[in-house]
């Protein structure tokens, strides 16, 4: 049975939570492989809405093993709050597992995230303020603390004290902050360790065994391809690897174990935070998308920037991820438009380019070249069968498949599980 990666094809918020939740029904294990509580997955089941930041949405099914993988950075307090909220609503967490290699987001990471953003002034990234960048910096600088460290009291206090020496120097000297006490943080975090210990294990072995037993494992990325620290619109990116390749490093599996990659795209484009966005619509078009699509961040509540679908970006994303198929979400958000635009080129100076570039200067300066497609002006939110979609909506889907050269397997026309159209079998 396959290992399948589910990846955001744009700048995040593509509706991965809903698609994971939908596919999770048929899988044995769901693995989150990167990012932290900067993510926010909204899942609607019947009339209940769940917003998950760290725990894979497969947890809403009783029999799925849900893993927080090696390359996730975990704020244990946020995780415990999320667990408590789920348990209060009757969700069982016995199947949750956390990698001992996952790094801890510490209080100083969150403080530094905010100060560093302020210091950047007009060059700020618009981070979620969840300490993600500073936590990954410490991981790479080899001064991070991991879940497994929580179970060796002396070692934890010693290493934390060492790290705090220079963190406090930066906080006090540069940012005029009072700094942090080793004892206070240590006691708080060691208590989190006591609470979470029973969930912590060697998750790479669990995944390996599941795949060897022909089980179906879904690797769930957070954020999106264009926020990848290497392949995204650097520096306006997150600090991890949301791309499909990130699943191998982030979960501890070899590339030969991944058999399919499903990209998730909205029928249009959104972005939160700073950075270039060629097809952004700062006008009534963008307003309508935001209003109809409920485009406000699940983590920070920030209004999302909205714009037309960018075919260059999607084709790039299909390439970087080795995408086998696409799921297109929120098609219903386009129901009211007379004309729907798709960006098919960027005009940079006198030249029109047809391949995406990660050079943020070109992206910032380019003028998008659009292809106009007729809208369908019909409510599609109740459609369950592809043949019942208005012809213009079918043409839109076929057009995107043709220019992205990737089949669209799933179309979502609303937040509920039932509001999904399956075009072709993906697995
Ligand atoms: P950070 O991940 O908090 O460091 O933020 C870096 C950039 O990634 C900012 O532009 C954020 O708005 C963006 N970002 C981080 N997480 C998400 C997400 O889950 N969805 C959309 N954008 C995100």
């Amino acid at each position: 049975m396959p290992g399948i990666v589910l990846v955001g094809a744009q700048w995040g918020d593509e509706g991965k939570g809903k698609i994971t939740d939908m596919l999770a029904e048929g899988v044995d294990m769901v693995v989150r492989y990167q990012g932290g509580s900067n993510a926010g997955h909204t899942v609607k089941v019947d009339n209940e809405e769940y917003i998950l930041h760290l725990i894979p949405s497969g947890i809403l099914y009783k029999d799925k093993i849900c893993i927080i993988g090696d390359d996730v950075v975990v704020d244990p307090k946020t995780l415990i709050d999320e667990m408590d909220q789920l348990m209060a609503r009757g969700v069982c967490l016995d199947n949750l597992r956390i990698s001992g290699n996952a790094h801890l987001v510490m209080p100083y990471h969150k403080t530094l995230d905010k100060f560093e953003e302020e210091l950047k002034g007009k060059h700020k990234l618009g981070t979620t303020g969840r300490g993600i960048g500073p936590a990954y910096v410490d991981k790479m600088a080899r001064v991070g603390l991991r879940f497994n460290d929580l179970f060796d009291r002396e070692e934890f206090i010693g290493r934390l004290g060492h790290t705090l020496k220079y963190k406090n120097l930066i906080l006090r000297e540069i940012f005029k902050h009072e700094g942090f006490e080793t004892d206070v943080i240590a006691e708080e975090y060691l208590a989190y360790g006591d609470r979470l210990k029973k969930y912590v294990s060697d998750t790479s072995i669990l995944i390996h065994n599941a795949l060897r037993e022909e089980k179906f494992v879904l690797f769930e990325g957070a954020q999106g391809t264009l926020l990848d620290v290497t392949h995204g619109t650097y520096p306006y990116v997150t600090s991890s690897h949301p791309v499909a390749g990130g699943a191998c490093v982030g979960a501890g599996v070899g590339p030969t174990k991944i058999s399919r990659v499903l990209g998730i795209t909205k029928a249009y484009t959104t972005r939160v935070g700073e950075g270039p966005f060629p097809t952004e619509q700062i006008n009534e078009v963008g307003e309508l998308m935001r209003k109809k699509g409920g485009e406000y961040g699940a983590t920070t509540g920030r209004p999302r920037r909205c714009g037309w679908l960018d075919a260059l970006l999607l084709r790039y994303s299909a390439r970087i991820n080795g995408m086998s198929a696409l799921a297109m979400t929120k098609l219903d958000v386009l129901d009211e438009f007379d004309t729907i635009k798709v960006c098919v080129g960027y005009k940079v100076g006198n030249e029109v380019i047809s391949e995406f570039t990660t050079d943020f200067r070109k992206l910032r300066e380019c003028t998008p070249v659009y292809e106009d497609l007729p809208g369908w002006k019909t409510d599609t939110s109740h459609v369950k069968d592809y043949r019942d979609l208005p012809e213009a909506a079918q043409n839109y889907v076929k057009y995107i498949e043709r220019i992205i050269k990737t089949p669209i397997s799933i179309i979502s026309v609303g937040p509920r599980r039932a509001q999904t159209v399956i075009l072709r079998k993906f697995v």
Side-chain angles (χ1 to χ4, degrees), residues 211-326:
L211 287 167
R212 212 173 40 182
E213 287 163 23
E214 306 273 294
K215 296 214 167 121
F216 185 169
V217 180
L218 188 67
F219 298 90
E220 173 190 42
Q223 290 85 46
T225 302
L226 276 301
L227 287 175
D228 186 278
V229 68
T230 301
H231 299 289
T233 47
Y234 192 89
Y236 300 98
V237 291
T238 191
S239 298
S240 64
H241 291 292
V243 294
C248 292
V249 180
V253 295
T256 54
K257 305 294 175 205
I258 307 294
S259 43
R260 314 271 293 157
V261 176
L262 179 66
I264 319 293
T265 177
K266 277 180 189 163
Y268 50 101
T269 312
T270 64
R271 169 160 213 177
V272 199
E274 307 301 317
F277 179 178
T279 61
E280 182 173 16
Q281 299 295 302
I282 309 173
N283 52 31
E284 65 285 2
V285 169
E287 277 300 322
L288 181 57
M289 288 171 175
R290 188 173 306 115
K291 194 160 159 252
K292 183 119 200 265
E295 297 295 357
Y296 295 89
T299 300
T300 58
R302 290 181 290 178
R304 295 181 184 138
R305 300 157 63 192
C306 299
W308 296 114
L309 197 76
D310 183 336
L312 282 70
L313 179 158
L314 263 192
R315 209 163 41 233
Y316 169 76
S317 188
R319 162 160 60 93
I320 291 293
N321 291 299
M323 236 178 245
S324 329
L326 271 167

Side-chain angles (χ1 to χ4, degrees), residues 5-26:
V5 180
L6 201 135
V7 62
Q10 299 163 310
W11 278 292
D13 309 315
E14 297 91 350
K16 294 179 291 293
K18 171 178 165 170
I19 304 296
T20 308
D21 173 65
M22 197 193 101
L23 295 178
E25 193 168 8

